[in-house]
Amino acid sequence: MIGFLMILGTIFLILFHSIWNSTYWSRQGIKGPIGIPIFGNMFKYLIGKRQYGLVYEDIYKSYPKASYIGMYRVMNEPAILLRDTEMIKEVMVKNFPNFTDNVLYVSDKREDLIFCNPFVAKGDKWRVMRSELVPMFTPNKVKLSFPHIATTCKKLDLFITNFIGDMPFEAKDLCAKYTLDVVASAAYGLDGQSFTSRTSDFTKLVKELFMPNSLSLVQTTALLFLPKLGDLINYRYIPTKVQQWLFTIIGKVISQRRKANDSSNGDFLQWLIDAKEKAGESVDEFTIVGHCSTLLIEGFETSAALMSFALYEFAVNPHIQKKVHEEIDEVMSKYEGKLCYEAVLEMTYLEAALYETLRLHPPMLALLKHCTKPFELPAQFPGVKLREKVLIEEGTVFVVPVQAVHHDPVVFPEPHKFNPDRFSEENKRQRANCAFLGFGEGPRMCPGMRFGLAQSKAGLVTMLMKYRVQTSAKCANPLEISPTTFLTTSRNGVWLCFKPRNL
Ligand code: HEM
């Protein structure tokens, strides 16, 4: 009986807390949707019907005049959803010291390697990890890593000729094979064997990391909303198997190079070691493995998604594909058919098409920032003063609804039209800051952007030099987004066909 009363009491307390929380914003005079106990405003996400970023987009659209909205995440956790690009700039750029950390619930009791990743690291650790990684992505370093990209492009070309031909193929799968091999080679000087072996460790262990599976919804919820759920399911951002494998392979590469006294390798691993030695610091193998895992995890999935969505957009917009073909032909004939960094840099229309792809299909539909120092909210509606001063407490989540801003007709007219001209130099200059967030903004903006664009462009040039791309009968149009994954993934894949251009 006592046990039963205790359970009843706990349920009552949780419900009471959740209902009390649901009045948090109205008590402060901030407008927004009412939260339902337990679900907050995330009901459709929690029942697996709508990706979390799309739920944020629905809320964004409901208050078109507001600069921000008071909303409730899972368990009625009060959060601020930003609307106005000026307000986004306040949070991501101008008041960055008040919002230094990303919202990602990863436990240092269960894993440690992931805290070398600047995307996950917080405070001073973030500063150190980011400052060690950024020098790996200067224009010169990306140029030096281009031979790894070019070699992998040759493998991609052979694979298409020998194994795909004009058969339907799943574009994300093909592009992930390519980006995994590029990253394995550029980061550690290893052959990922993605094109040649279905059972290579890279293919088996890493490619699966971001694929939708039966646990995706629970894992995404643990990662973004409920740290206690993470404890319950023993959630790890990098599964233990992958961590152990990383230590083994990178450890092996380091010791082989030490034995051979060979530091001539032009890859990120070597540059990281060189940078440590030059600074007179000891080479701490743990941090090196940590950085290498960041390169692997951040380096392949986002670029593979970008490439596959770009191929899809080219397939459904043949007039744009034609312009891309014309640019590729012109630049490649100037470089006598040799794929080099300079040629890829010159393809400005292709680059604009990639930015436009990221606008329509951002890899992260929303970015989440923790308030790390109290922050005073400005007026919620232009010209209407707040009832009283509202000071946001440390720990409150600020939602940057990337896709909602990208698809807002006020920010990008005719938002669902694929139009790379939006990213011409002149149009970019005229647009408000923080309107395009495909690589984030401010001090936490993506450090791998240059490398990501270079590998994506080179892979696409390799495919489009020889082929036109079309949708296959299996391809959904428009594409549906998987409702359960952390990163944007097409629910049923991106099914396309190649047709030789000379036919
Ligand atoms: C085209 C491909 C890519 C896209 C679209 C992309 C997108 C993003 C986005 C949206 C963020 C969050 C930024 C923010 O919070 O403001 C981010 C962060 C990050 N990206 Fe990328 N990324 C790409 C490629 C890469 C590559 C190739 C690497 C490295 C190999 C990389 C490494 C990182 C890291 C380390 C962070 C965390 C930065 C921090 O919090 O300080 N990314 N990326």
Side-chain angles (χ1 to χ4, degrees):
M1 184 63 179
I2 292 181
F4 176 69
L5 284 176
M6 276 173 71
I7 293 174
L8 214 64
T10 313
I11 294 175
F12 174 77
L13 275 179
I14 292 176
L15 272 178
F16 178 78
H17 180 252
S18 190
I19 292 169
W20 175 243
N21 259 3
S22 73
T23 61
Y24 183 85
W25 292 121
S26 61
R27 278 182 274 132
Q28 317 242 10
I30 305 282
K31 300 239 174 340
I34 293 166
I36 317 171
I38 315 289
F39 297 101
N41 305 133
M42 308 300 298
F43 182 73
K44 285 193 182 159
Y45 160 73
L46 281 175
I47 59 167
K49 273 247 173 297
R50 216 156 157 67
Q51 215 257 16
Y52 66 93
L54 297 179
V55 175
Y56 292 137
E57 190 173 351
D58 297 338
I59 300 171
Y60 176 99
K61 284 182 182 159
S62 314
Y63 294 82
K65 298 247 157 33
S67 299
Y68 57 87
I69 301 161
M71 64 157 293
Y72 300 95
R73 302 200 324 140
V74 177
M75 298 305 285
N76 262 338
E77 177 196 2
I80 290 287
L81 185 134
L82 303 170
R83 271 200 101 267
D84 179 30
T85 49
E86 250 326 291
M87 188 67 198
I88 294 177
K89 191 168 154 194
E90 289 288 326
V91 168
M92 297 184 84
V93 187
K94 285 191 185 162
N95 292 291
F96 177 73
N98 298 59
F99 301 95
T100 52
D101 296 344
N102 285 332
V103 177
L104 279 175
Y105 298 113
V106 182
S107 167
D108 57 1
K109 291 192 194 85
R110 287 190 293 276
E111 52 184 323
D112 41 16
L113 203 58
I114 192 65
F115 290 92
C116 295
N117 186 332
F119 190 60
V120 175
K122 298 183 192 310
D124 287 341
K125 173 94 179 178
W126 165 72
R127 226 172 292 281
V128 175
M129 291 300 125
R130 186 173 168 107
S131 67
E132 289 186 0
L133 209 58
V134 165
M136 302 300 121
F137 296 107
T138 59
N140 189 38
K141 284 281 190 314
V142 176
K143 184 177 171 177
L144 287 173
S145 68
F146 202 82
H148 297 280
I149 297 179
T151 307
T152 313
C153 284
K154 287 190 184 134
K155 292 182 191 172
L156 170 68
D157 184 33
L158 268 181
F159 184 81
I160 296 173
T161 310
N162 295 337
F163 296 100
I164 296 187
D166 57 4
M167 301 282 284
F169 65 95
E170 206 284 296
K172 174 74 181 298
D173 182 68
L174 176 67
C175 297
K177 279 188 168 68
Y178 162 75
T179 54
L180 255 187
D181 267 17
V182 170
V183 174
S185 173
Y188 331 126
L190 290 179
D191 180 359
Q193 299 177 353
S194 305
F195 291 117
T196 47
S197 159
R198 277 175 199 276
T199 54
S200 87
D201 288 341
F202 278 95
T203 313
K204 267 193 323 204
L205 294 171
V206 187
K207 223 172 99 188
E208 303 289 311
L209 276 180
F210 297 102
M211 300 268 256
N213 62 51
S214 54
L215 284 179
S216 297
L217 182 63
V218 182
Q219 289 172 339
T220 306
T221 306
L223 181 67
L224 298 181
F225 298 94
L226 296 175
K228 290 219 163 58
L229 178 65
D231 295 342
L232 208 67
I233 62 167
N234 212 6
Y235 174 70
R236 288 177 175 85
Y237 193 93
I238 313 182
T240 314
K241 263 192 313 192
V242 180
Q243 294 191 44
Q244 286 164 347
W245 168 76
L246 279 166
F247 274 109
T248 311
I249 55 154
I250 297 162
K252 249 191 217 162
V253 176
I254 295 176
S255 73
Q256 274 165 5
R257 288 186 189 176
R258 276 199 187 128
K259 257 192 224 153
N261 201 10
D262 178 7
S263 60
S264 62
N265 301 274
D267 53 38
F268 292 117
L269 172 62
Q270 194 58 48
W271 297 331
L272 283 166
I273 295 174
D274 293 348
K276 287 267 173 202
E277 284 175 347
K278 200 169 160 201
E281 293 169 21
S282 64
V283 179
D284 151 23
E285 206 164 305
F286 179 85
T287 313
I288 298 281
V289 176
H291 285 317
C292 288
S293 74
T294 302
L295 296 170
L296 185 62
I297 288 168
E298 303 294 333
F300 91 95
E301 171 72 16
T302 40
S303 297
L306 169 61
M307 289 173 69
S308 60
F309 286 130
L311 286 171
Y312 167 80
E313 291 297 341
F314 296 156
V316 294
N317 295 283
H319 63 294
I320 306 275
Q321 185 172 174
K322 188 167 170 265
K323 283 191 181 180
V324 172
H325 274 141
E326 282 165 7
E327 182 182 71
I328 291 175
D329 293 347
E330 192 189 317
V331 176
M332 290 308 281
S333 76
K334 182 173 161 195
Y335 287 90
E336 294 167 352
K338 187 171 177 280
L339 188 60
C340 57
Y341 185 56
E342 288 74 13
V344 163
L345 272 190
E346 270 183 45
M347 295 182 191
T348 50
Y349 189 74
L350 176 59
E351 184 153 317
L354 290 187
Y355 274 90
E356 177 67 344
T357 303
L358 286 174
R359 183 189 69 79
L360 280 174
H361 311 279
M364 272 178 272
L365 297 195
L367 297 168
L368 303 169
K369 305 289 167 186
H370 256 143
C371 177
T372 41
K373 261 192 212 166
F375 175 76
E376 191 182 333
L377 281 179
Q380 187 180 11
F381 295 91
V384 184
K385 268 190 160 177
L386 285 177
R387 209 170 56 199
E388 56 196 58
K389 180 170 149 174
V390 180
L391 202 62
I392 296 294
E393 291 168 17
E394 245 174 78
T396 306
V397 172
F398 276 59
V399 178
V400 182
V402 175
Q403 165 142 315
V405 177
H406 285 184
H407 292 194
D408 183 340
V410 176
V411 186
F412 291 98
E414 295 187 87
H416 300 293
K417 193 170 160 190
F418 183 70
N419 176 12
D421 292 336
R422 295 181 209 267
F423 290 91
S424 67
E425 281 310 315
E426 195 189 333
N427 287 339
K428 274 199 285 191
R429 263 196 306 277
Q430 283 170 8
R431 204 164 21 247
N433 290 329
C434 292
F436 173 74
L437 297 159
F439 290 103
E441 254 303 346
R444 268 192 180 259
M445 191 175 176
C446 176
M449 179 173 96
R450 235 179 246 121
F451 183 78
L453 282 172
Q455 69 169 340
S456 304
K457 284 168 85 178
L460 290 170
V461 170
T462 304
M463 297 181 210
L464 296 173
M465 260 192 318
K466 289 193 180 165
Y467 304 97
R468 271 180 293 122
V469 67
Q470 296 178 350
T471 50
S472 82
K474 240 174 138 176
C475 190
N477 186 8
L479 294 174
E480 259 182 76
I481 292 177
S482 159
T484 58
T485 46
F486 167 49
L487 295 177
T488 314
T489 309
S490 160
R491 188 179 205 150
N492 301 308
V494 181
W495 287 92
L496 305 172
C497 294
F498 286 127
K499 297 281 168 221
R501 281 180 64 193
N502 47 14
L503 288 187

